[in-house]
Amino acid sequence: MVRVPDDGDLTLRPDYPIRTERLLLRPLTSGDVDALHAYRSRADVCRYVPFEPMDRRQIADRVAGQWAGTTLTAEGQFLMLGVELAQTGDLVGDVILMFHSRLHRSGEIGYVFDPRFAGRGYATEAARELLRLGFEDLGLHRIVARLDERNDASARVARRLGMRQEARLVDNEMFKGEWTSELDFAMLAAEWAAAGDRASVGRTAVPRHP
Ligand SMILES: CC(C)(COP(=O)(O)OP(=O)(O)OC[C@H]1O[C@@H](n2cnc3c(N)ncnc32)[C@H](O)[C@@H]1OP(=O)(O)O)[C@@H](O)C(=O)NCCC(=O)NCCS
């Protein structure tokens, strides 16, 4: 059930870890630095994201600093969570939920995963939970995902989540030394709720959302 919050009532204070079918989403800790470094230091992982490969020091600083938030209480904040395999405890990636505007109740999601754990649906499963948190718990009206149009794997994640492609912005950013086109995907709270309703009609053992 998607709530329509009163003005001022947009906060997210999850109980951690957040559990999905196969994953745990939880704040990053200093114990995650090596696992984060294993994939965030790779050029292929960073090809279509707005940061360069990171060294261990940069990652440790961010885990202790700007990635340390555990709640969303004001626009402009973001929540960065580690994604852990529930069965093994391996950190397989990280996801981010950005709270853009209180007035417009808008946000954005992003995801970066270790290629060693690719192709098993973990990014989609974790990102779906971010949409749930954003719509159902924070009370957002609209959530977007913005990506480089060459990033096919990321576009497939957005489509699997049921997000609509709304725009293709041609050569709109100078990205890592070249003009880059952006694809914008979006979902509204009403679409999220409708997808949940459709999935639950007359069926069992079906994922609640696309
Ligand atoms: C974008 C990114 C997270 C996508 O990773 P991914 O492994 O393709 O995505 P998922 O973990 O959701 O796995 C989906 C794939 O697993 C397959 N799969 C296997 N088992 C599955 C399951 N149980 N459930 C769902 N999908 C499953 C799907 O068919 C899909 O394959 P396909 O895309 O070839 O059709 C990854 O490429 C990445 O981290 N890239 C670098 C960072 C980046 O660019 N981030 C996005 C910035 S916008």
Side-chain angles (χ1 to χ4, degrees):
M1 180 67 178
V2 175
R3 70 192 174 129
V4 177
D6 299 332
D7 277 357
D9 179 28
L10 268 78
T11 57
L12 179 64
R13 300 174 194 279
D15 289 328
Y16 296 110
I18 301 163
R19 292 173 189 279
T20 66
E21 192 183 338
R22 297 174 294 174
L23 307 171
L24 303 178
L25 275 59
R26 43 107 183 135
L28 294 163
T29 73
S30 57
D32 295 319
V33 170
D34 285 344
L36 288 162
H37 182 251
Y39 60 94
R40 281 185 162 256
S41 63
R42 289 176 55 150
D44 58 344
V45 169
C46 299
R47 179 68 187 92
Y48 300 123
V49 294
F51 55 84
E52 297 295 339
M54 296 175 154
D55 62 30
R56 215 175 241 98
R57 176 84 268 151
Q58 290 172 309
I59 289 171
D61 286 349
R62 291 198 190 183
V63 168
Q66 59 189 109
W67 295 348
T70 59
T71 61
L72 291 176
T73 56
E75 64 183 9
Q77 294 177 337
F78 63 83
L79 186 61
M80 170 114 169
L81 300 176
V83 180
E84 186 182 308
L85 276 191
Q87 273 201 334
T88 63
D90 287 315
L91 188 87
V92 296
D94 55 79
V95 289
I96 186 167
L97 175 63
M98 296 171 246
F99 182 8
H100 284 324
S101 166
R102 179 175 292 277
L103 174 64
H104 306 301
R105 285 194 276 133
S106 60
E108 179 173 348
I109 58 169
Y111 30 79
V112 181
F113 275 70
D114 187 328
R116 291 175 303 162
F117 297 96
R120 302 181 212 177
Y122 295 146
T124 305
E125 185 172 325
R128 184 177 291 126
E129 182 60 20
L130 281 194
L131 292 177
R132 194 198 65 72
L133 287 169
F135 288 129
E136 298 185 17
D137 293 354
L138 180 56
L140 294 180
H141 165 67
R142 174 182 162 86
I143 298 177
V144 300
R146 301 183 308 126
L147 46 105
D148 187 310
E149 77 165 343
R150 296 167 296 181
N151 197 346
D152 294 329
S154 181
R156 287 198 297 275
V157 171
R159 291 195 177 97
R160 266 194 301 275
L161 291 170
M163 301 182 88
R164 279 174 292 103
Q165 185 182 321
E166 290 192 333
R168 174 172 180 261
L169 310 179
V170 179
D171 277 5
N172 72 313
E173 279 187 359
M174 174 52 67
F175 189 78
K176 299 188 175 176
E178 55 188 335
W179 290 114
T180 304
S181 299
E182 171 182 319
L183 298 185
D184 290 351
F185 288 84
M187 182 180 271
L188 298 174
E191 293 169 324
W192 170 259
D197 290 345
R198 272 200 309 279
S200 62
V201 172
R203 306 179 69 170
T204 55
V206 168
R208 207 170 145 253
H209 288 97

